[in-house]
Amino acid sequence: DPISRLETLSINWQQYLFDTVTKLGARGEVRASIAQAWKNDSINQWTFVIRRDVKFHDGTPLTAKDVAFSITRAQTDPKSQFKSTITAVKTAIASSAHTLTVTTERPDPLLPSHLGGIAVVSEQNVKSSPDWAQKPIGSGPYVFKSWLAQDNLTLEANGAYWGGAPAIKRVKLLNIPNSSARLAALLSNQVQ
């Protein structure tokens, strides 16, 4: 579940499965992602335009309703570790299938940047499947195949990814906690 861990390893692994509302570039600039455009309508209100060509891995279209659900869930779910990143958000409402209106409690000029950490999940999938986090369905560049806790995560390229199919077709992310073992695996070409 992308809201349950606000730490680097989990975020790095989850970025392959889940798109975020916005993205941060190498220099900290806010870039389009699921939200392709946004504007600050008034001191406490923002409008985000959601891409029309995004589908979850199960083929379901991603809508502004899913984005609003993801923001609200990150803010209100007791297990969420992302609450501190969006404290100014009062409401996130889908005003149409591809338009999201976010109202804040106070002015937040960095809101688009703060939303760069919010992974978008399928409202329908989360609500209808109690074990959805065991076989997550995102909209990211890779599709979940298998996971062995504390060991590895196996992913396959999402050929229908809105940003273009990834060049690498299969990825196995390994958890090698010991730094000497990591270095040895790298030097012996066991990992890249």
Side-chain angles (χ1 to χ4, degrees), residues 5-81:
R5 308 272 305 246
L6 181 56
E7 47 89 14
T8 305
L9 180 63
S10 293
I11 291 169
N12 286 342
W13 285 26
Q14 290 169 351
Q15 73 179 341
Y16 298 106
L17 294 169
F18 301 99
D19 283 311
T20 52
V21 181
T22 59
K23 288 191 184 287
L24 294 180
R27 294 187 173 104
E29 73 278 13
V30 181
R31 293 185 175 174
S33 183
I34 293 302
Q36 64 183 26
W38 51 88
K39 65 179 179 173
N40 192 199
D41 300 317
S42 67
I43 195 164
N44 290 351
Q45 185 172 306
W46 292 79
T47 298
F48 292 83
V49 178
I50 307 305
R51 291 184 187 277
R52 295 177 180 272
D53 57 346
V54 181
K55 293 185 186 281
F56 287 106
H57 298 148
D58 64 358
T60 306
L62 184 148
T63 68
K65 190 175 177 194
D66 295 303
V67 180
F69 172 77
S70 299
I71 293 169
T72 303
R73 185 170 175 268
Q75 190 177 43
T76 61
D77 191 297
K79 67 182 173 194
S80 175
Q81 292 189 0

Side-chain angles (χ1 to χ4, degrees), residues 69-121:
F69 172 77
S70 299
I71 293 169
T72 303
R73 185 170 175 268
Q75 190 177 43
T76 61
D77 191 297
K79 67 182 173 194
S80 175
Q81 292 189 0
F82 285 82
K83 293 175 186 180
S84 64
T85 66
I86 52 174
T87 58
V89 174
K90 182 177 180 180
T91 61
I93 299 170
S95 45
S96 76
H98 300 285
T99 307
L100 175 72
T101 303
V102 177
T103 305
T104 58
E105 297 278 355
R106 60 189 178 280
D108 186 0
L110 298 177
L111 182 66
S113 174
H114 295 155
L115 294 180
I118 305 301
V120 179
V121 296

Side-chain angles (χ1 to χ4, degrees), residues 122-132:
S122 164
E123 178 179 17
Q124 176 186 347
N125 191 23
V126 171
K127 288 183 174 179
S128 67
S129 180
D131 64 341
W132 75 273

